[in-house]
Amino acid sequence: MKAAVVKETAPGERRVALVPDAIAKLRPAGIEVMIERGAGDGAWLSDAAYADAGAAIVSAAELYETADVILTVTKPPAATISKLRKGQAIIGMLAPLTDPGLAAALTAQGVTAISVDGLPRTLSRAQPMDALSSQSNVAGYKAALVAAATFGRFFPMLITAAGTARPAKVLVLGAGVAGLQAIGTAKRLGAVVSGYDVRPASKGEVESLGATFLELTSVETGAGEGGYARELTAEERQAQQEELTGHIARHDVVITTAQVPGRRPPLLVTDDALKAMSPGSVIVDMGASSLGGNVTGSRPGETVVTENGVTIVGADNLPATVPTAASNAYSRNISALLLHMTKDGALAIDTADEIQAGVVIAHDGKVVHEGVASLLSPQTKGDANVDGTGN
């Protein structure tokens, strides 16, 4: 089986799906690796390093013509979908819950679409394949650094001949993988850190990092399925926002991390909260996306300053700004998934397998992932090449 790594083309994207170290691990399973010329440049991984590891360096045209499996980090551009052929497979973070149209397009091409962001995260045997967690870990680390670089004062307490600087007060909203890494990094930088999450179980994790857990009385448990927080009701969101506003105003830096897969991120920092913050305060919104963000007025990929001097950083793709570390982690994830799905040197699709049931979106001309199929239009769901009804 030939697995090919494409060069990412999304603006600002510097990651690569496989690093040279992964090639030797795939070879015993009968997997030959091809690398599109220059694919690793953004992560400081040269074509020579891949060639030395045993990969073939090829053009984009040769890659699409000969590969059995295409490995990518992000969604393929629309222009490349037509290059994919029937029976080929593509593996990457395809985000089908936010872009079901891509799943439909790949299905129409007869392509097997495998999205690593659909991995069932509660399965212990799936943890080495968990790309969402690995990339969130990188993002949380970078979010704290971005906050520190943007903040106009020191993070740690400093006692100098010129006087004493008090430590920054940092609040991290959301204590998932990204939030915990942001808490730990901000703490290592010397800030006084607090963390909040709607899941009560997060308290021990936050406190284990030396931070204070912020407990709100307005919201009951927000624990959901699959390791995510559940979506709060409108009444719960309103109560949460009102109680959070007072706490937010007392902090110098706020990092927000709350996301709901396939849906608009919850609004955590309202206009009232922004107005209550002091000039010079910083917010890093890790929930910023085309669907919205955790902060009023945040825009993905942009930094804005409010009229009262609060800087809002719309951090939409932080892992790409730490490309080597992020690529190393992602490479281990996608290699583990590829090996799990390979049998006798070929890709073996089995949606009865718990892991594959979560990641295989389309196969044999059908949308086989129930959640994605349900998002497609009634006309599409009724078509012969879509099977999302469970019948």
Side-chain angles (χ1 to χ4, degrees), residues 274 285 287-289 292-300 302 304 312-315:
L274 289 172
D285 183 4
S289 71
N294 299 147
V295 183
T296 297
S298 73
R299 297 195 290 267
E302 297 183 31
V304 298
I312 305 171
V313 180

Side-chain angles (χ1 to χ4, degrees), residues 14-329:
R14 296 176 57 192
R15 291 171 291 178
V16 62
L18 281 185
V19 300
D21 288 348
I23 295 169
K25 298 175 183 177
L26 297 176
R27 191 178 297 115
I31 302 171
E32 299 177 23
V33 177
M34 299 188 297
I35 307 291
E36 182 179 348
R37 194 167 289 112
D41 289 352
W44 308 109
L45 298 168
S46 67
D47 288 346
Y50 283 105
D52 290 344
I57 311 302
V58 301
S59 66
E62 183 179 351
L63 181 150
Y64 286 107
E65 288 173 3
T66 62
D68 301 301
V69 180
I70 305 293
L71 304 179
T72 181
V73 177
T74 59
K75 297 184 293 184
T80 66
I81 293 177
S82 61
K83 299 178 182 179
L84 298 172
R85 66 179 190 275
K86 184 177 181 180
Q88 230 172 11
I90 184 168
I91 304 178
M93 291 191 287
L94 307 180
L97 293 178
T98 57
D99 188 7
L102 173 63
L106 292 172
T107 301
Q109 286 288 105
V111 173
T112 294
I114 300 166
S115 189
V116 294
D117 44 356
L119 192 81
R121 304 172 78 184
T122 54
L123 290 177
S124 59
R125 63 192 178 95
Q127 289 178 0
M129 313 168 198
D130 189 355
L132 281 183
S133 288
S134 76
Q135 300 307 290
S136 293
N137 202 30
V138 177
Y141 164 80
K142 188 58 181 285
L145 299 185
V146 169
T150 307
F151 187 51
R153 299 196 297 274
F154 296 117
F155 258 38
M157 181 177 72
L158 293 180
I159 301 174
T160 71
T164 299
R166 68 170 178 82
K169 295 179 180 179
V170 176
L171 173 62
V172 178
L173 299 178
V177 175
L180 292 173
Q181 182 59 256
I183 288 170
T185 303
K187 188 68 179 177
R188 287 190 290 272
L189 290 173
V192 175
V193 186
S194 299
Y196 167 73
D197 197 287
V198 293
R199 296 165 292 188
S202 299
K203 179 178 180 180
E205 296 174 318
V206 169
E207 292 178 342
S208 72
L209 295 171
T212 300
F213 187 75
L214 188 65
E215 297 189 63
L216 301 186
T217 60
S218 57
V219 181
E220 296 182 1
T221 177
E225 297 180 357
Y228 298 98
R230 66 174 174 84
E231 186 174 22
L232 301 182
T233 65
E235 292 76 14
E236 288 175 320
R237 287 196 301 271
Q238 180 65 28
Q240 180 193 55
Q241 289 168 4
E242 291 175 355
E243 191 171 358
L244 273 176
T245 294
H247 293 286
I248 289 169
R250 292 192 286 271
H251 288 82
D252 304 303
V253 174
V254 177
I255 299 173
T256 67
T257 70
Q259 299 182 49
V260 179
R263 300 183 185 180
R264 181 184 178 90
L267 182 65
L268 301 178
V269 183
T270 62
D271 188 55
D272 288 341
L274 289 172
K275 291 176 180 177
M277 297 182 76
S278 301
S281 299
V282 171
I283 303 176
V284 177
D285 183 4
M286 294 179 65
S289 71
S290 59
L291 296 176
N294 299 147
V295 183
T296 297
S298 73
R299 297 195 290 267
E302 297 183 31
T303 297
V304 298
V305 180
T306 67
E307 291 183 358
N308 61 317
V310 178
T311 299
I312 305 171
V313 180
D316 61 336
N317 190 11
L318 289 174
T321 67
V322 195
T324 307
S327 296
N328 277 313

